[in-house]
Amino acid sequence: MLKNLLRFIFIAAFIGSAAAAQDYSTTQCTKYGQAEFVFSVDDGSLGEKDAQWFRETLEEMVAAGEKFKAGETLLVGPVPLKLEAAEDGKLRVLEPDMKTIPFKFVPSVTRTLKIVRRQRYAADSLGATKAIRFAPFHHPLMVTPGALQAPSIIMIRAKKQDGVTGWVLTELETKSKSKDDLEVMSVYEAMLKRPDIMDFLALPEQFSVVVSGRKKFEIFKDGTPVEPRKGSYLDMRSKQ
């Protein structure tokens, strides 16, 4: 049953949903002096579960003392979300359309929930759930020229620094490159140009990944090859 569920999640994450969107709302924010949030999720068999997680995430942020108003942004996983005024004094949550540079925000959180889920499942596939380290879309990574167009690239992550993801993307076949050759690019731009890197962007620094397309990738931990747990998300991704 678990394997079938994961297979469905995998397929749903990459196929655009034709289902209608459904609005959800928080209910616990006003008691903290915060306007309630309203957000839209594509209606489907996983919609209610994901919506509940997102609702609870927003309510927990408010209960912890965070305050929000229209025009501001908040970060969920790696995704910056924008808030706008909605009916009845609520705040509607918008997400990037995952197509446009710079960000074009749309009234949905469906893509955000799929990305957070995929990155969490990738970390869980490698036993790294507790060490997960999201790379915010608006933060920088480093890329060698031509790497994003190369058949195979290697993703290496440095230790955590404030405001820096630590990711360096290099063409696998490239010989040595000096630091002067590195280009700065947002995670969002790199992800749009090279979608097959998305799942791995929350892995902590002991992991590196060689990516050669959606199904073909090699993962290393501290320089040693490792295999995803059997039946896990990444194991299934390699077999799709």
Side-chain angles (χ1 to χ4, degrees), residues 192-238:
L192 294 187
K193 292 181 176 180
R194 190 76 188 229
D196 52 354
I197 71 173
M198 181 190 296
D199 288 354
F200 306 108
L201 286 168
L203 295 180
E205 57 267 16
Q206 64 263 44
F207 290 95
S208 56
V209 188
V210 174
V211 181
S212 306
R214 284 218 40 78
K215 296 181 181 181
K216 191 174 180 181
F217 53 86
E218 298 175 83
I219 303 171
F220 302 84
K221 183 177 182 181
D222 297 323
T224 301
V226 294
E227 295 291 332
R229 178 172 47 83
K230 288 187 177 181
S232 67
Y233 170 71
L234 287 181
D235 180 50
M236 292 180 62
R237 171 179 154 167
S238 68

Side-chain angles (χ1 to χ4, degrees), residues 31-205:
K31 65 183 181 181
Y32 297 102
Q34 169 66 55
E36 300 290 353
F37 301 89
V38 61
F39 56 93
S40 177
V41 177
D42 286 353
D43 192 17
S45 61
L46 296 177
E48 184 63 37
K49 179 180 177 181
D50 287 344
Q52 179 63 26
W53 175 84
F54 188 69
R55 180 191 294 120
E56 292 174 354
T57 296
L58 294 173
E59 291 175 345
E60 288 170 1
M61 293 171 74
V62 171
E66 296 193 54
K67 297 290 184 182
F68 303 95
K69 60 184 179 181
E72 293 183 340
T73 59
L74 64 107
L75 193 66
V76 173
V79 187
L81 304 174
K82 187 175 181 179
L83 303 174
E84 70 174 14
E87 294 181 358
D88 301 324
K90 295 181 179 180
L91 294 174
R92 177 166 289 279
V93 186
L94 295 82
E95 67 181 356
D97 66 358
M98 311 299 175
K99 299 176 183 178
T100 310
I101 300 174
F103 293 136
K104 178 182 179 181
F105 289 93
V106 294
S108 172
V109 296
T110 301
R111 299 170 185 85
T112 298
L113 295 178
K114 288 180 178 180
I115 289 169
V116 171
R117 187 194 319 134
R118 285 166 55 178
Q119 293 190 355
R120 284 189 178 278
Y121 284 167
D124 181 62
S125 299
L126 300 166
T129 307
K130 293 183 178 180
I132 194 169
R133 182 181 154 203
F134 290 109
F137 283 180
H138 56 298
H139 286 188
L141 50 69
M142 308 296 288
V143 184
T144 55
L148 297 180
Q149 293 76 41
S152 299
I153 60 175
I154 183 167
M155 307 171 59
I156 299 174
R157 194 169 200 180
K159 292 184 178 180
K160 184 176 181 179
Q161 300 179 45
D162 290 341
V164 178
T165 66
W167 280 114
V168 179
L169 309 183
T170 307
E171 183 179 354
L172 184 62
E173 299 303 322
T174 300
K175 303 263 176 154
S176 60
K177 286 277 186 182
S178 71
K179 291 184 178 180
D180 292 337
D181 291 321
L182 292 172
E183 301 174 350
V184 179
M185 182 181 297
S186 71
V187 170
Y188 183 67
E189 183 177 358
M191 182 192 72
L192 294 187
K193 292 181 176 180
R194 190 76 188 229
D196 52 354
I197 71 173
M198 181 190 296
D199 288 354
F200 306 108
L201 286 168
L203 295 180
E205 57 267 16

